[in-house]
Amino acid sequence: MEDKKKKKLKSKIKRNVVGWLIMLPTLILFTFFVWYPLVKNIIISFFDTYDMNNFVFLQNYQDVFKDDYFISAFVNTFKYILWSIIIGFFIPMIVGLFLSEIIHFKGFFRVAIYIPCMLSGIAVVFLFQNIYGDEAYSILNVIRSLFGMERMDFRSNADIVIPLIVVAMTWKGFGGTSLIYMSNFQDIDTNLYEASRIDGASPMQRFFKITLPLMKPTILTLLILQIISVFQVFYEPMIIAGQTATSAMSLMQLSYYYFTKMEDTKSAATSVILALIIIIITIIYFTIVNKLNNSKEKSK
């Protein structure tokens, strides 16, 4: 018996050692490129210079909160979230539903909607920068000229620049999300729909009483991931609207703006504030998911 226990212990130790050796390169890279910069960034935010000579505690955070740029960027970031939900959240769901119902050329449509996801993000942003430009040959201005309207610089219009940027972001990424929705729609048991048809349920009733409840975990997960992603919007407003345009500046872009102005500590403080917001959203997400899972277990 003791020999067997020793052999089991040795095999466990061997497996653990092998597992840690496999993960070690990844852990080293992760520590060097993620955890070390993260911890150092937090420490820098409490000093007045990058050299960390004078400890000022929360002074950088106070300066950031008093800055008009921060207020604009903070409000704009939530505008991005609002417009991303209005424009970019429901479109993939609708497209995924249509893809799941299509019979002919389904493979063609899958590839067609996924092509933008394979393009470089920078290339897509430059494409939409030209579409929204004030030049006479930009696409939107060409369309306006057909109706006898004067040309317009959409990028400098504070009322519509954020929705236009969200349109570019949605075009770039909706294909992959649509395919996720499509696969989830197809996994729903068709017997549920057949039974509802027999009971006289309309397509809308089937959608709201069968499809949406079964899709709730997926919808919630993709919603939170989209919000977190939008909080980190950076190069899209910087390229389309301009680096210093307050009408479209995001928190991530503001952190970079401080960095270019040689205000490293304020840049660090801004990124920490952004990280805290994302952490809070993540905690809320996991709390909701746990409640949903607990309610499911109780119902069973």
Side-chain angles (χ1 to χ4, degrees), residues 59-71 254 258 265-267 269-270 273:
Q59 185 61 47
N60 289 315
Y61 293 91
Q62 293 176 5
D63 293 340
V64 167
F65 281 122
K66 292 177 182 177
D67 192 352
D68 292 336
Y69 274 104
F70 175 81
I71 296 170
L254 177 64
Y258 284 141
T265 53
K266 290 175 71 173
S267 174
T270 305
I273 293 168

Side-chain angles (χ1 to χ4, degrees), residues 132-194:
Y132 302 149
D134 62 343
E135 300 86 359
Y137 56 80
S138 66
I139 293 176
L140 290 183
N141 279 324
V142 169
I143 295 172
R144 287 173 64 87
S145 66
L146 294 176
F147 293 95
M149 303 168 70
E150 295 182 358
R151 69 182 187 180
M152 174 182 175
D153 187 2
F154 296 89
R155 295 175 298 178
S156 61
N157 190 325
D159 296 327
I160 61 173
V161 64
I162 289 180
L164 291 176
I165 292 171
V166 171
V167 168
M169 295 164 58
T170 302
W171 186 83
K172 170 70 173 68
F174 86 97
T177 309
S178 298
L179 294 179
I180 295 173
Y181 278 120
M182 184 198 70
S183 63
N184 279 267
F185 284 134
Q186 291 179 339
D187 288 339
I188 297 175
D189 190 358
T190 55
N191 292 326
L192 296 173
Y193 291 115
E194 291 176 3

Side-chain angles (χ1 to χ4, degrees), residues 216 288-300:
K216 189 183 292 184
I288 295 172
V289 169
N290 288 332
K291 286 183 179 179
L292 290 174
N293 292 333
N294 292 333
S295 63
K296 282 184 180 179
E297 289 178 0
K298 288 179 180 180
S299 63
K300 290 179 180 179

